[in-house]
């Protein structure tokens, strides 16, 4: 769980540092933080939301929950509707997001240039790299 929380926090921080790159990055950040789980579920797992959007893990609460209700706690973490599956779905959704939509490239610049312009292609290459880096961090949730 600590690795899951750390990976989540890394993704939140990465998106936060790149928020000025386009409204799509901001939307990804909002989607990432939305509907992580009910407050009671997060509390039972020892997870709390911080003001900066990151998560904090209380390992003592998690250990206590694992001792008192191991099956329920395991289901809340790794069940079909568990937090790990929820975060995996968010990461998979991020992978399906086009780089252009993350950076507003499509709406702002693509109408100005031909698709065959080599400089435009390099711009798209750069935004694709941003998307892959962000999506890769999200995929680390499963580690």
């Amino acid at each position: 769980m600590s690795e899951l929380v750390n990976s989540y926090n890394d993704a939140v921080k990465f998106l936060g540092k790149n928020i000025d790159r386009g409204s799509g990055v901001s939307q990804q950040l909002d989607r990432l933080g939305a509907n992580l789980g009910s407050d009671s579920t997060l509390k039972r797992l020892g997870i709390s939301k911080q003001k900066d959007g990151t998560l904090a893990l209380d390992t003592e609460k998690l250990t206590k929950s694992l001792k008192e209700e191991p099956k329920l706690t395991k289901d809340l973490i790794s069940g079909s509707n568990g937090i790990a599956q929820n975060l995996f779905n968010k990461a998979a959704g991020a992978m399906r997001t086009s780089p252009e939509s993350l950076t507003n490239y499509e709406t702002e610049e693509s109408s100005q240039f031909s698709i065959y312009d080599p400089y435009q292609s390099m711009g798209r290459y750069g935004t694709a790299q941003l998307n892959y880096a962000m999506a890769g961090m999200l995929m680390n949730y499963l580690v």
Side-chain angles (χ1 to χ4, degrees), residues 4 31 49 74 105 122:
L4 180 74
R31 279 189 289 249
K49 296 177 187 177
K74 180 183 172 191
Y105 185 82
M122 290 306 291

Side-chain angles (χ1 to χ4, degrees), residues 23-93:
S23 62
V25 176
S26 176
Q27 291 169 356
Q28 283 286 17
L29 184 59
D30 292 343
R31 279 189 289 249
L32 183 60
N35 303 318
L36 289 175
S38 70
D39 289 339
S40 62
T41 296
L42 295 177
K43 185 176 179 180
R44 183 180 299 271
L45 296 175
I47 297 173
S48 58
K49 296 177 187 177
Q50 305 300 299
K51 290 182 181 181
D52 65 354
T54 60
L55 300 176
L57 176 65
D58 183 338
T59 55
E60 290 178 15
K61 283 185 180 179
L62 178 60
T63 302
K64 180 180 176 186
S65 182
L66 284 166
K67 287 180 182 178
E68 292 176 357
E69 298 181 273
K71 183 174 177 359
L72 175 61
T73 305
K74 180 183 172 191
D75 287 343
L76 292 174
I77 295 170
S78 61
S80 62
N81 292 319
I83 191 168
Q85 183 66 47
N86 184 354
L87 292 174
F88 172 81
N89 292 340
K90 289 174 185 278

Side-chain angles (χ1 to χ4, degrees), residues 118-139:
Y119 298 107
Q120 181 184 13
S121 297
M122 290 306 291
R124 286 182 184 224
Y125 176 77
T127 58
Q129 295 309 309
L130 171 65
N131 189 37
Y132 291 132
M134 187 269 320
M137 292 182 79
L138 292 173
M139 293 303 287

